[in-house]
Amino acid sequence: MAKQDYYEVLGVERSASEREIAKAYRKMAVKYHPDSNPGDDDADRRFKQAAEAYEVLSDSDKRARYDQYGHAGVENGGGGFRNAEDIFAAFGEMFGGGIFEDFFGGRGRANRPRRGADIHAEVILTLEEAAMGVDKTIQFHRNEICTECHGGGSQPGSQPEPCQQCGGRGQVVQSAGILRMQTTCPVCQGRGSIIINPCDQCQGNGFKARKVTLEVAIPAGVDDGMRVRLNGEGEASPSGGAAGDCYCLIKVKRHKIFHRDGRNLVLQLPIAYTQAVLGAEVEVPTLDGPTSLKIPRGTQSGEVFKLKGHGMPDPQGGRKGDMLVQTFIETPKKLSAKQEELLRELAEHDQIDVSPQRKNFFDKIKDYFAIEK
């Protein structure tokens, strides 16, 4: 089923400002929040859909890619929340840390499991790989739950103690006159407890770094700067929440022959003067193999010819782009005697002034002595 346009989801124009987009999202988030619509699958779907749209349109880079490529431009790189907790974790700050708690009975960030951190990995592709799509193996390090303490951070048989600073709440309240501000406890960092006997394996962190090898399917037509998201392949949550994601940043290497311009490929093709004047049929390279191109008589240097369907695939599954062949007349630096003779004859016929033919050394000597006599 095709995804709905993100601007339509939020009910804003494509020219909407960041403030208008944020305002529209707040309105939908409150209207379709799961706590206000228990058991309503449609409201839950709309809530997630709005969050997905906001995640893309509130980010200038993602929004630019979406405007150019549509959903494929941010495919696996934005959107697609698994549950409401993901949305709270991603957008809680935009509501001042309190709108959901105020509206929906204390479902606060301090009581929610935090989502694991995201990881970024770079995937380098050739232009051919980007055109065809490819499976790539990536390697990176991520923190995973310690198997010795099972993420608790304490030695087996030992238990953490409640933090005395915050009384185990993980939050402290600071007062300044009539103002009261709740912040994360600086002693326990929001955990609500202090580890007395740290685990020997993870030194109390609850996590250990591990090298991970994964296969990632890169879709055909991706461009430099796009991202592919691997759900749940990021770091584990420090508080039992969902794992983060792994974002694969696409880098496409410069090609020796072709230059990419969106879905089109540009090829600069050298042709001889005679081919430009008389016309010719030449073989040109494409990503699909060599193909024939007809050069008409009288072709001028810099003219562009289009080979339809020989460009890059559309990431959204549409038709392929085109190959744009730009011709330029190649001037030879060396000529055979016959070639020079013919060209001088042509120049004389066209009444064009050209440089005089250079004499060899012995001819110059003969001329010199002839003058002396």
Side-chain angles (χ1 to χ4, degrees), residues 187-206:
V187 176
C188 67
Q189 301 300 314
R191 291 187 298 267
S193 60
I194 301 295
I195 295 174
I196 305 302
N197 298 311
C199 171
D200 292 335
Q201 296 295 317
C202 63
Q203 286 72 50
N205 293 321

Side-chain angles (χ1 to χ4, degrees), residues 142-345:
R142 70 181 175 200
N143 289 322
E144 297 187 351
I145 295 176
C146 175
T147 56
E148 184 70 17
C149 65
H150 304 290
S154 298
Q155 280 277 33
S158 175
Q159 295 293 329
E161 295 183 357
C163 175
Q164 299 298 317
Q165 181 72 18
C166 63
R169 292 184 298 273
Q171 302 284 316
V172 293
V173 178
Q174 297 177 340
S175 300
I178 62 173
L179 298 178
R180 289 169 57 85
M181 182 172 61
Q182 183 171 282
T183 60
T184 300
C185 176
V187 176
C188 67
Q189 301 300 314
R191 291 187 298 267
S193 60
I194 301 295
I195 295 174
I196 305 302
N197 298 311
C199 171
D200 292 335
Q201 296 295 317
C202 63
Q203 286 72 50
N205 293 321
F207 299 90
K208 290 190 68 176
R210 186 171 76 87
K211 186 176 182 179
V212 179
T213 301
L214 293 175
E215 290 288 326
V216 54
I218 307 297
V222 294
D223 203 352
D224 197 69
M226 289 185 176
R227 298 191 303 175
V228 175
R229 184 173 69 180
L230 301 178
N231 290 334
E233 294 294 350
E235 296 196 341
S237 167
S239 54
D245 299 325
C246 177
Y247 288 92
C248 301
L249 178 65
I250 303 298
K251 294 288 185 182
V252 181
K253 294 191 291 187
R254 184 186 297 272
H255 199 274
K256 293 181 179 179
I257 300 176
F258 305 117
H259 167 71
R260 183 172 182 175
D261 182 15
R263 289 190 296 115
N264 295 329
L265 290 177
V266 180
L267 169 67
Q268 290 190 320
L269 178 70
I271 58 174
Y273 170 72
T274 50
Q275 290 176 313
V277 173
L278 301 175
E281 190 165 332
V282 298
E283 189 176 78
V284 296
T286 74
L287 290 179
D288 304 311
T291 190
S292 180
L293 173 67
K294 186 176 181 180
I295 305 295
R297 295 171 67 95
T299 293
Q300 302 298 307
S301 187
E303 282 197 46
V304 177
F305 301 94
K306 182 186 293 184
L307 294 174
K308 289 188 176 181
H310 285 284
M312 296 294 289
D314 185 338
Q316 292 182 277
R319 69 178 182 85
K320 294 176 67 174
D322 303 321
M323 171 80 75
L324 305 179
V325 182
Q326 183 180 37
T327 59
F328 67 93
I329 298 175
E330 189 174 42
T331 304
K333 294 184 177 180
K334 293 183 180 180
L335 295 173
S336 67
K338 183 63 176 178
Q339 287 174 322
E340 184 167 343
E341 179 185 350
L342 292 172
L343 286 172
R344 287 187 179 280
E345 184 178 339

Side-chain angles (χ1 to χ4, degrees), residues 89-151:
F91 304 121
E93 292 300 331
M94 74 166 286
F95 297 100
I99 188 169
F100 285 135
E101 291 90 328
D102 294 341
F103 273 94
F104 306 113
R107 192 175 183 173
R109 285 181 294 148
N111 298 321
R112 293 196 311 270
R114 288 183 294 163
R115 184 173 173 272
D118 293 329
I119 290 175
H120 296 82
E122 188 175 75
V123 178
I124 300 177
L125 305 176
T126 64
L127 185 63
E128 290 81 0
E129 289 174 329
M132 300 297 294
V134 66
D135 291 336
K136 280 286 186 178
T137 300
I138 60 172
Q139 291 185 331
F140 56 90
H141 286 83
R142 70 181 175 200
N143 289 322
E144 297 187 351
I145 295 176
C146 175
T147 56
E148 184 70 17
C149 65
H150 304 290

Side-chain angles (χ1 to χ4, degrees), residues 364-373:
K364 291 180 181 179
I365 293 177
K366 290 179 183 179
D367 289 344
Y368 173 76
F369 285 111
I371 295 174
E372 289 295 317
K373 291 179 180 180

